[in-house]
Amino acid sequence: MHELGIAFYLIDMVEDLGKQNNLTSVARVKLQLGEVSGVVPTYLLDVWRWAADRTELLHGAQLEIEEVPALTQCLSCNKTYATVTYGRICPYCSSEKTELIQGLEIELAEIEAT
Amino acid sequence: MGEYRVIEVKQSVFAANEKSADQLREEMKKKGTLLVNLMSSPGSGKTTTLKKTIAALNGKLSLAVMEADIDSDVDAAAISETGVKAIQLHTGGMCHLDAHMCAQGLEGLNAGDVDLIFLENVGNLVCPAEFDTGAGVNVTILSVPEGDDKPLKYPLMYQVCDVVLVNKIDVAPYFDFDLEKLKKNVALRNPKALVIPFSAKTGEGLDAWTEWLSRKVAEWKSSQ
């Protein structure tokens, strides 16, 4: 249960922010999630509800997930393409020398709180 | 109740763990103990490889073992039979170990000034690669029956590892397993990773593996 660990990390981060900013209630937490991050959004939302509601600060807080599309750059022709559609081999020049440039993000973007 | 306001954060969920992991690495460096994180799928032969490695290093390097599992203590019991100090960590349902759990485990293990501590991570090719444990080196065991395409399916695991031990190489003739293809697949993800064909059963590759470990321990101690 990978997602549960991620939810706990997120909650810890928000609780730290809460202490630093004297927050009493968090209404929304926005997460940027890479398409190939390996995190399943529906699982994360499920465990989020349970884990967030156990805390005072995040009770009822909504988790908003913004998906970041996975993009790969070809090191031979420099073009970028959608990773999930074409995979590891460049669809333009068939090179195998490619590099993922985005899509692994699991990032706390912002929170809405008082 | 005041007005709700938006606070921008823009921080990786792994940032806190990465900080703890770096701290742990610093501490281990001061102690002169190399922590080796062993990762693989379930059933690839981590525990058998460890037992064989412990026997081969006997008298050369002092060591201890941390076994991480969701539940049970069968692995720690098997390691204890070798006479090496071992501790079982339970992740309590979690599929990986993070730097904080690892530091707690090291405290519980209380191994003193050993040269080497093996951490046998939870059998899983996804999550252990994402959570830095604070280990000095990362090793992935891939067993022949799993296939030579694993680096393509689990790229991150192969990106974070220093060595790939290709275990059960003695049964390769019975499987459609191509060692050269595997090497190529690993190199695509991580050109620096060293691939060692290995058999915990026959002992093939054991010398190359223990020599690599001894060299890494020496490097770790000299960089204090």
Side-chain angles (χ1 to χ4, degrees):
Chain A
M1 244 346 237
H2 182 202
E3 284 74 11
L4 185 58
I6 307 262
F8 283 147
Y9 270 95
L10 261 177
I11 289 167
D12 282 349
M13 284 170 89
V14 177
E15 286 193 316
D16 280 348
L17 281 166
K19 277 184 209 134
Q20 286 160 25
N21 297 286
N22 294 319
L23 304 175
T24 52
S25 169
V26 175
R28 184 178 59 90
V29 172
K30 185 171 161 188
L31 181 73
Q32 284 187 318
L33 199 59
E35 196 182 0
V36 293
S37 64
V39 175
V40 183
T42 52
Y43 290 179
L44 184 59
L45 287 168
D46 266 357
V47 296
W48 171 263
R49 194 62 285 135
W50 173 80
D53 285 351
R54 291 166 79 223
T55 71
E56 207 173 309
L57 183 69
L58 287 121
H59 194 91
Q62 177 211 346
L63 178 66
E64 182 188 332
I65 297 177
E66 184 182 84
E67 199 183 75
V68 181
L71 284 180
T72 296
Q73 181 164 35
C74 174
L75 301 178
S76 303
C77 74
N78 261 329
K79 288 198 172 100
T80 57
Y81 62 89
T83 311
V84 174
T85 317
Y86 300 105
R88 193 171 50 87
I89 294 168
C90 176
Y92 300 103
C93 73
S94 305
S95 168
E96 286 190 343
K97 289 197 174 113
T98 58
E99 208 175 61
L100 187 73
I101 52 171
Q102 69 170 53
L104 283 175
E105 300 76 4
I106 308 177
E107 220 175 77
L108 174 58
E110 61 179 41
I111 63 171
E112 196 180 326
T114 186
Chain B
M1 275 269 247
E3 293 253 312
Y4 278 87
R5 61 189 165 115
V6 173
I7 303 173
E8 242 189 79
V9 191
K10 280 247 159 232
Q11 196 179 36
S12 163
V13 166
F14 299 118
N17 185 54
E18 273 150 26
K19 206 173 141 198
S20 320
D22 285 341
Q23 258 168 16
L24 184 59
R25 256 188 297 276
E26 275 309 303
E27 281 167 34
M28 298 302 279
K29 206 154 229 181
K30 274 185 205 137
K31 271 185 153 185
T33 301
L34 179 66
L35 181 62
V36 181
N37 179 23
L38 273 183
M39 298 174 283
S40 82
S41 322
S44 63
K46 282 192 297 298
T47 311
T48 314
T49 298
L50 259 182
K51 283 167 79 175
K52 202 85 179 182
T53 309
I54 290 166
L57 290 175
N58 186 21
K60 292 176 191 155
L61 293 174
S62 57
L63 57 92
V65 175
M66 287 201 293
E67 290 287 341
D69 257 315
I70 286 172
D71 207 343
S72 101
D73 58 3
V74 288
D75 286 347
I79 296 298
S80 291
E81 282 169 20
T82 65
V84 159
K85 200 166 187 184
I87 190 173
Q88 180 79 49
L89 311 177
H90 284 159
T91 59
M94 222 77 101
C95 50
H96 61 271
L97 206 73
D98 63 15
H100 179 66
M101 290 187 251
C102 187
Q104 279 182 321
L106 286 168
E107 218 178 283
L109 179 65
N110 194 19
D113 293 327
V114 290
D115 298 315
L116 194 71
I117 294 175
F118 285 109
L119 164 65
E120 186 179 331
N121 215 314
V122 181
N124 178 332
L125 290 179
V126 184
C127 323
E130 282 178 340
F131 289 86
D132 190 340
T133 56
V137 288
N138 292 300
V139 176
T140 302
I141 303 178
L142 169 94
S143 63
V144 162
E146 293 170 64
D148 48 38
D149 58 353
K150 280 289 169 295
L152 304 181
K153 292 184 176 173
Y154 302 92
L156 190 62
M157 176 55 75
Y158 293 88
Q159 265 163 40
V160 301
C161 73
D162 300 289
V163 163
V164 180
L165 276 186
V166 188
N167 197 18
K168 310 187 189 180
I169 199 72
D170 51 306
V171 297
Y174 304 100
F175 289 87
D176 292 328
F177 185 90
D178 185 338
L179 185 63
E180 289 315 307
K181 210 161 156 190
L182 173 82
K183 283 182 178 169
K184 201 181 143 217
N185 287 339
V186 171
L188 275 172
R189 288 292 151 232
N190 182 357
K192 284 188 203 143
L194 176 69
V195 178
I196 305 177
F198 186 83
S199 169
K201 198 172 175 193
T202 66
E204 184 179 339
L206 191 60
D207 286 346
W209 161 234
T210 52
E211 272 162 29
W212 182 84
L213 280 171
S214 304
R215 201 169 65 241
K216 285 290 157 186
V217 168
E219 282 173 21
W220 190 254
K221 285 179 188 286
S222 66
S223 65
Q224 261 173 274

